[in-house]
Amino acid sequence: MPQYHQFDALVVGAGGAGLMAALYASKGVNTAVISKLYPTRSHTGTAQGGISAALGNLEEDKWEWHAYDTIKGGDFLCDQDAVDIMCREAIDAVIDLEHMGLPFDRTPDGKISQRRFGGHTNNETKKPVMRACHAADRTGHMILQTLYQNCIKNNVKFFDEFQVIDVLIEDGKCNGVVAVQLATGEIHVFHSKATLIATGGFGKMWKVTSNAHSLTGDLPAAVLRRGLPLEDMEFFQFHPTGVYKLGILLSEAARGEGAVFINDKGERFMERYMPTLKDLAPRDICSRCIYTEIREGRGIGGKDYVYLDFRPEQINKYFEADGNPKRIDAHYLETRLPDIIEFARVYQGIDPIKEPVPIQPTAHYAMGGIPTDNDARVLADETGRIVEGLYAAGEVACVSVHGANRLGTNSLVDLVVFGKRGGIAMAEYCKQASFRPIHRDAAAKAGAAQLDRIRNNNGNERPHAIRKEMQAVMDEKVGVYRTGAGLEEAIDKIHELQARYKRIRIDDKGFKWNTDLMEAWELGALLDLAEVTAFAALARTESRGGHYREDYPNRDDVNFLKHSMVWKNGTITLKYKPVRITRIPPQERKY
């Protein structure tokens, strides 16, 4: 028998955005969180380098500078009213986290310490500015722990290790979700007045990715199947410093502390491409520069990687060349970057204090996702029509503050600012709304039928083989560099894989902890998202931010200064809506 639950506010996902939303919703209404993981294992915990806010604790800074850097970094596709909200409210959000107990690193006079990060500048001198507030290189981990503890204190109800497989939307209103309890295989129907989706990214479409195994786009695919659009899916960020072959992230914090890229000739090559910001240029630019070096034969030993060099004696030479009086030693790096250094030692057998580290770009972050307004309310179409009772925040959402490329540390800012705004908006909505009736038995049967189709299918295709082929074609054709012909090949291949997916077979037919079943279900979500990603990328015949078309290498503001909206109702439909420009007109993106 299916289980039934009722809460005023329901949050799906227990990362930074979900916990922030749950915390603020719980101050006014009965709130529950559903997570496919134990909350403190959520992917926010892997965010290393910091959370940006213009505190000005170490040098002059202004939130307006932060906003300008964000808009410029996003290649002017950001909605500027949303960016202003994020950068202005980031200051209070960081102080709120400090008051909740987050153990930020400190300056000698006791203020929150800050470091430099890619794309964050003093808008007057054009030089990098210290804006990233940090707790060693475990900032995301500390945010998760702090928010989870505060949610427990606030009596938020947690349903851990439940996977949501459907969103209950009827007549333009959301009434809850359907989930499967992983430990038992039982179906649970969650009835709510308001539901917020905060399930993170979907980088497992690619083979080389920093994303955890759990980031499979379950909820974006679920809302897509419910007739709602996704926004700006062609924009996916490739982080320049993934561990070679594995994709595990070595944070930008290393470059914030002075590390640089070097090629096979030992050259600090970013000086040629970005003479002002150099190795602290935005991520999309750094990733393309790395691939350019590799293509032109300057990868290490002629292979497809370069080095990240943070040997202390070398960093001091780079500082001296830049006219920076700062000097560091091994103890300083071990204190400031303990996890990053340990990752290199564990995963590559390299001591980065003594030798450079092989790195390559890795699929990292979705700029696109479920479209929302500035209070995290989900939008039903390009006109801004609201889906009543449905909210989204964090990486899964597109508000859009990141535009075509996210600046480092702005993900954590996005989580806390719009998670908080979404939680407050949900609570206000729930106080005046009533529970709408739902057909809970029908909802449970429909959810169970999704899983039973996979469990009982007896085809000749294996999910792992389809996943491997999907990731390979996404790496090759929908990666850092793209072409129209390559994207068409990717779409054809994805359609072939979708047809084969209907003939899959799994070995485990059981109900308890059936990871075979759930991974096969997740693959269906990834295939749907891969299809709309490639489709939107093919339609955007320009290069902007993380979307680089070799056959259309220039940015085209006349035709493409607009957000894409993609629907999948049998066939794919693509529409557009304008970018909201309030203060800063589009300009050439120089660094």
Side-chain angles (χ1 to χ4, degrees):
M1 287 291 292
Q3 304 292 311
Y4 175 74
H5 313 271
Q6 190 177 71
F7 296 94
D8 293 322
L10 186 65
V11 176
V12 183
L19 293 180
M20 198 76 172
L23 178 60
Y24 278 89
S26 68
K27 295 181 179 184
V29 297
N30 186 23
T31 303
V33 174
I34 306 172
S35 175
K36 69 194 283 189
L37 304 170
Y38 188 76
T40 52
R41 291 185 61 224
S42 298
H43 206 57
T44 299
T46 67
Q48 298 165 342
I51 175 171
S52 275
L55 302 182
N57 285 349
L58 289 140
E59 54 189 345
E60 183 185 9
D61 202 3
K62 301 175 183 178
W63 74 260
E64 292 91 346
W65 293 356
H66 186 187
Y68 175 77
D69 290 340
T70 298
I71 293 163
K72 182 181 178 182
D75 221 347
F76 297 91
L77 199 75
C78 309
D79 288 326
Q80 295 184 13
D81 55 337
V83 171
D84 283 356
I85 288 169
M86 182 180 77
C87 297
R88 188 171 56 241
E89 296 185 5
I91 297 167
D92 285 341
V94 166
I95 294 170
D96 283 349
L97 289 171
E98 179 189 32
H99 291 174
M100 289 180 204
L102 198 150
F104 285 110
D105 292 335
R106 299 288 169 176
T107 64
D109 59 355
K111 295 180 179 179
I112 295 173
S113 183
Q114 297 179 276
R115 62 164 60 109
R116 294 181 174 87
F117 238 76
H120 293 274
T121 69
N122 177 313
N123 290 179
E124 295 173 359
T125 67
K126 309 302 180 186
K127 293 182 178 180
V129 69
M130 294 183 184
R131 186 176 290 152
C133 311
H134 53 86
D137 57 356
R138 304 184 183 109
T139 312
H141 173 79
M142 297 303 185
I143 288 175
L144 262 189
Q145 299 289 336
T146 301
L147 291 178
Y148 184 54
Q149 291 163 10
N150 279 272
C151 283
I152 295 295
K153 184 174 71 175
N154 243 36
N155 297 314
V156 173
K157 174 70 173 176
F158 282 88
F159 292 86
D160 302 332
E161 295 169 336
F162 281 68
Q163 183 147 339
V164 172
I165 56 175
D166 199 5
V167 183
L168 301 178
I169 297 174
E170 189 173 349
D171 299 326
K173 300 179 175 69
C174 180
N175 303 317
V177 302
V178 179
V180 56
Q181 185 175 6
L182 298 176
T184 65
E186 289 183 311
I187 297 295
H188 290 246
V189 177
F190 292 84
H191 188 192
S192 65
K193 297 177 182 177
T195 300
L196 183 138
I197 297 170
T199 52
F202 32 87
K204 293 306 287 185
M205 286 190 286
W206 286 270
K207 178 184 177 183
V208 179
T209 178
S210 66
N211 285 197
H213 193 71
S214 59
L215 292 183
T216 50
D218 309 344
L219 269 295
V223 301
L224 193 66
R225 293 164 183 166
R226 282 289 184 168
L228 295 178
L230 299 177
E231 180 176 345
D232 286 346
M233 289 295 287
E234 62 267 45
F235 296 105
F236 203 94
Q237 180 177 89
F238 289 78
H239 195 294
T241 55
V243 169
Y244 179 52
K245 291 186 177 179
L246 299 179
I248 296 167
L249 198 65
L250 299 179
S251 169
E252 203 165 306
R255 284 176 285 140
E257 298 292 353
V260 307
F261 301 123
I262 56 175
N263 63 19
D264 191 51
K265 295 182 177 182
E267 297 171 327
R268 184 185 179 184
F269 58 83
M270 288 303 297
E271 292 179 316
R272 292 201 308 273
Y273 301 101
M274 297 286 128
T276 302
L277 289 187
K278 300 174 185 173
D279 303 270
L280 287 174
R283 292 170 175 176
D284 62 319
I285 294 173
C286 289
S287 291
R288 286 196 295 275
C289 292
I290 289 170
Y291 270 121
T292 299
E293 291 293 301
I294 291 168
R295 283 181 165 191
E296 294 180 359
R298 293 186 293 276
I300 305 302
K303 297 182 180 178
D304 56 342
Y305 66 89
V306 297
Y307 281 142
L308 180 66
D309 188 2
F310 46 111
R311 294 171 289 179
E313 69 278 6
Q314 292 300 114
I315 288 178
N316 288 332
K317 289 180 182 178
Y318 303 137
F319 283 155
E320 187 173 349
D322 291 341
N324 185 346
K326 182 176 178 179
R327 294 295 180 269
I328 64 166
D329 57 18
H331 175 74
Y332 175 89
L333 288 181
E334 295 273 12
T335 302
R336 302 280 278 197
L337 308 172
D339 280 2
I340 297 170
I341 290 170
E342 187 66 12
F343 286 170
R345 288 170 176 161
V346 170
Y347 293 111
Q348 295 175 298
I350 288 173
D351 185 351
I353 300 298
K354 298 178 181 178
E355 53 189 320
V357 180
I359 54 94
Q360 68 180 151
T362 180
H364 181 57
Y365 188 89
M367 274 76 74
I370 301 171
T372 74
D373 69 4
N374 293 343
D375 290 317
R377 297 181 298 177
V378 171
L379 307 179
D381 57 33
E382 75 281 7
T383 69
R385 183 167 54 92
I386 300 297
V387 182
E388 189 176 335
L390 186 58
Y391 301 76
E395 187 177 354
V396 77
C398 183
V399 62
S400 154
V401 287
H402 307 306
N405 172 66
R406 176 176 68 78
L407 291 188
T409 71
N410 270 357
S411 177
L412 294 181
V413 184
D414 178 7
L415 298 181
V416 297
V417 169
F418 291 100
K420 176 180 178 178
R421 290 177 74 89
I424 292 170
M426 275 205 302
E428 291 174 352
Y429 172 80
C430 289
K431 287 176 183 176
Q432 54 84 31
S434 300
F435 284 101
R436 292 175 287 273
I438 63 170
H439 304 289
R440 60 187 188 185
D441 289 341
K445 286 180 181 177
Q450 287 191 51
L451 301 181
D452 287 341
R453 276 195 297 272
I454 298 172
R455 182 185 283 112
N456 299 327
N457 211 18
N458 200 27
N460 59 355
E461 293 284 352
R462 291 296 195 169
H464 68 86
I466 295 174
R467 178 190 287 248
K468 185 176 181 180
E469 291 183 44
M470 172 195 68
Q471 291 173 334
V473 76
M474 292 295 286
D475 266 21
E476 184 179 352
K477 306 296 184 183
V478 198
V480 172
Y481 285 109
R482 301 166 176 181
T483 65
L487 290 166
E488 288 176 350
E489 289 177 33
I491 292 168
D492 289 343
K493 181 64 175 181
I494 292 164
H495 288 163
E496 174 204 318
L497 296 175
Q498 287 171 325
R500 288 166 54 189
Y501 178 73
K502 294 177 182 178
R503 305 191 300 272
I504 60 171
R505 171 171 57 89
I506 61 173
D507 293 326
D508 188 348
K509 308 293 186 181
F511 288 83
K512 296 181 179 180
W513 288 116
N514 192 339
T515 55
D516 201 11
L517 171 66
M518 298 317 303
E519 288 179 7
W521 183 88
E522 290 168 340
L523 174 60
L526 286 170
L527 286 168
D528 283 350
L529 297 186
E531 180 186 16
V532 297
T533 296
F535 190 92
L538 178 63
R540 185 172 287 272
T541 51
E542 66 155 358
S543 291
R544 184 186 299 267
H547 170 71
Y548 192 86
R549 287 283 298 266
E550 292 189 274
D551 44 354
Y552 294 93
N554 298 318
R555 196 177 82 190
D556 181 0
D557 287 344
V558 173
N559 295 303
F560 285 103
L561 188 62
K562 56 189 179 182
H563 300 292
S564 66
M565 304 279 280
V566 61
W567 285 258
K568 181 176 166 62
N569 295 310
T571 59
I572 294 178
T573 303
L574 191 64
K575 297 181 181 180
Y576 293 92
K577 66 176 183 178
V579 175
R580 297 194 300 274
I581 299 171
T582 58
R583 295 188 297 113
I584 303 169
Q587 55 198 250
E588 189 177 353
R589 192 173 175 231
K590 286 186 176 180
Y591 287 99

